[in-house]
Amino acid sequence: MSAGEILPRLLAGDISGMVLRADLLATGSTLVGEVTQDLPQLPDAMAQFDCRNNQLLLAAAMQIAPTVARAIASFGKDRIGVVLGTSTSGIAKGEEALAYHAEHGEFPADYHYFQQELGSTSDFLRQYFELDGPCYTLSTACSSSAKVFASAKRLLNAKLCDMVIVGGVDSLCRLTVNGFDALESVSKGHCNPFSANRDGINIGEGAALFTLVRGDGPVLLSGCGESGDAHHISAPHPEGRGAIDAMGAALKDAGLKPSDIDYINLHGTATPKNDAMESRAVCAIFEGHLPPCSSTKPLTGHALGAAGAIEAAFCVLLLSQGNRSLPPQVWDGMADTNDPQLPLVPMPSSKPQADQGPIRHVMSNSFAFGGSNASLIFSRGGLHD
């Protein structure tokens, strides 16, 4: 889907991408964020990579292909890197192969374990574009494709690359849906971030890719912050210590004050512990300067390893506007009085809004199992001209 199609739906709080599926969860139907458009087929020469995950990745890759071609001509194939984030890779392909094996006593001819290896995503993209630069995959659960931006920034600053393709991809599969259900973290209905009635996530899928180079441009990656608090294998620190460290590091890296941030795309999973932690962490960092916030996961589902890149793409789209329209918080409006209150963006109003000029700086948060946290800041280019 093109940026021109996504932005108005994002600003309207469009939840039409959420669908009810009866074939993913062992205990019944569940609401998920599903890509329903037709996906491109992989080239015949790359059949060993064939899986839904790489089809999603190819759909995103085709949109940046002209930029990559120009970069190859300018820099050379060995100066372009690939760093992607994922948590599922081609696991759905493995699930299909196991079902086939149970019925036929052998795996299907078109299956190979490589299709579900975490590294196959970045290797597929490298081979698709015929690149020779650094190439690797990060898999740190739900912060995977946010942390790739920090990795790419290091590659560029070290002069190991002149351009880095970054992003993330994940596809729906039974393993993750049932795994989160076993943790009692899957919502019984539509996820409801920051509500007193929240009861878990809706899982989603998708892909988003970016090309990063040194220098100025329309949108800048101005700050990256990472932390690892290792509080618990699946629960965040209740006071958000790791989240506070990541947001603080991103602000320091960007050379910005909390009051400079115009919007925060919250991690906002709608699990009781995550939302409680994040609200405390945001209030601790932005005390007295709380910017408008929202979680976009009710629109897309939680795309796990791809969530950071997808939500970074939303932030980039917001900076491309000439106004301050923001994604609304889609929820029941029943705030949890046990948690600090955040200034959640309301649904669009028909009342005219005062012109405050375009958005300058936005933050995107991604907080993962094991306390692997990342916070990114994107800025409008040319602010210092």
Side-chain angles (χ1 to χ4, degrees), residues 40 202 354 362:
N202 303 131
V362 297

Side-chain angles (χ1 to χ4, degrees), residues 331-356:
W331 66 319
D332 64 5
M334 302 294 291
D336 190 337
T337 56
N338 295 311
D339 302 329
Q341 301 304 295
L342 300 176
L344 300 173
V345 179
M347 291 298 291
S349 170
S350 59
K351 297 180 181 178
Q353 301 296 312
D355 184 11
Q356 297 176 298

Side-chain angles (χ1 to χ4, degrees), residues 225-249:
E226 300 177 274
S227 69
D229 60 69
H231 170 72
H232 186 272
I233 192 170
S234 61
H237 189 281
E239 297 302 320
R241 289 181 185 172
I244 290 170
D245 288 345
M247 287 186 284

Side-chain angles (χ1 to χ4, degrees), residues 50-120:
D50 187 32
C51 64
R52 181 173 176 81
N53 217 57
N54 286 333
Q55 285 184 283
L56 287 166
L57 189 56
L58 178 57
M62 292 168 67
Q63 296 186 42
I64 65 168
T67 302
V68 176
R70 290 191 295 270
I72 291 172
S74 297
F75 306 133
K77 296 180 179 181
D78 62 330
R79 298 293 300 171
I80 302 173
V82 177
V83 187
L84 300 183
T86 189
S87 63
T88 66
S89 189
I91 288 175
K93 190 78 171 181
E95 292 172 347
E96 294 170 5
L98 284 172
Y100 184 94
H101 189 281
E103 183 176 351
H104 301 282
E106 60 182 4
F107 288 110
D110 66 345
Y111 170 73
H112 191 281
Y113 179 74
F114 174 75
Q115 292 161 320
Q116 67 185 70
E117 288 180 341
L118 294 171
S120 73

Side-chain angles (χ1 to χ4, degrees), residues 258-259 282-291:
S259 57
V282 168
C283 287
I285 286 287
F286 291 90
E287 184 179 6
H289 300 284
L290 281 169

Side-chain angles (χ1 to χ4, degrees), residues 67-274:
T67 302
V68 176
R70 290 191 295 270
I72 291 172
S74 297
F75 306 133
K77 296 180 179 181
D78 62 330
R79 298 293 300 171
I80 302 173
V82 177
V83 187
L84 300 183
T86 189
S87 63
T88 66
S89 189
I91 288 175
K93 190 78 171 181
E95 292 172 347
E96 294 170 5
L98 284 172
Y100 184 94
H101 189 281
E103 183 176 351
H104 301 282
E106 60 182 4
F107 288 110
D110 66 345
Y111 170 73
H112 191 281
Y113 179 74
F114 174 75
Q115 292 161 320
Q116 67 185 70
E117 288 180 341
L118 294 171
S120 73
T121 52
S122 52
D123 198 32
F124 163 68
L125 201 63
R126 179 189 65 81
Q127 292 193 37
Y128 178 74
F129 285 126
E130 299 180 349
L131 303 174
D132 296 322
C135 173
Y136 53 94
T137 300
L138 296 181
S139 189
T140 55
C142 305
S143 61
S144 300
S145 60
K147 291 173 75 68
V148 299
F149 288 88
S151 294
K153 188 173 182 178
R154 288 189 285 268
L155 288 172
L156 292 168
N157 288 342
K159 305 295 178 65
L160 294 173
C161 293
D162 293 312
M163 187 174 85
V164 184
I165 302 170
V166 300
V169 58
D170 258 352
S171 46
L172 291 167
C173 63
R174 294 178 179 84
L175 177 70
T176 50
V177 175
N178 286 278
F180 276 92
D181 186 56
L183 292 172
E184 300 181 345
S185 294
V186 173
S187 177
K188 295 179 177 63
H190 199 141
C191 71
N192 201 0
F194 300 98
S195 167
N197 301 314
R198 66 189 185 273
D199 66 342
I201 69 175
N202 303 131
I203 292 180
E205 65 177 0
L209 292 175
F210 304 75
T211 56
L212 299 186
V213 296
R214 288 183 292 272
D216 205 352
V219 177
L220 306 178
L221 172 63
S222 52
C224 300
E226 300 177 274
S227 69
D229 60 69
H231 170 72
H232 186 272
I233 192 170
S234 61
H237 189 281
E239 297 302 320
R241 289 181 185 172
I244 290 170
D245 288 345
M247 287 186 284
L251 287 165
K252 183 178 180 180
D253 188 41
L256 297 173
K257 306 182 297 295
S259 57
D260 292 323
I261 302 299
D262 296 311
Y263 167 72
I264 304 174
N265 185 287
L266 300 163
H267 188 54
T269 61
T271 57
K273 290 184 178 181
N274 175 85

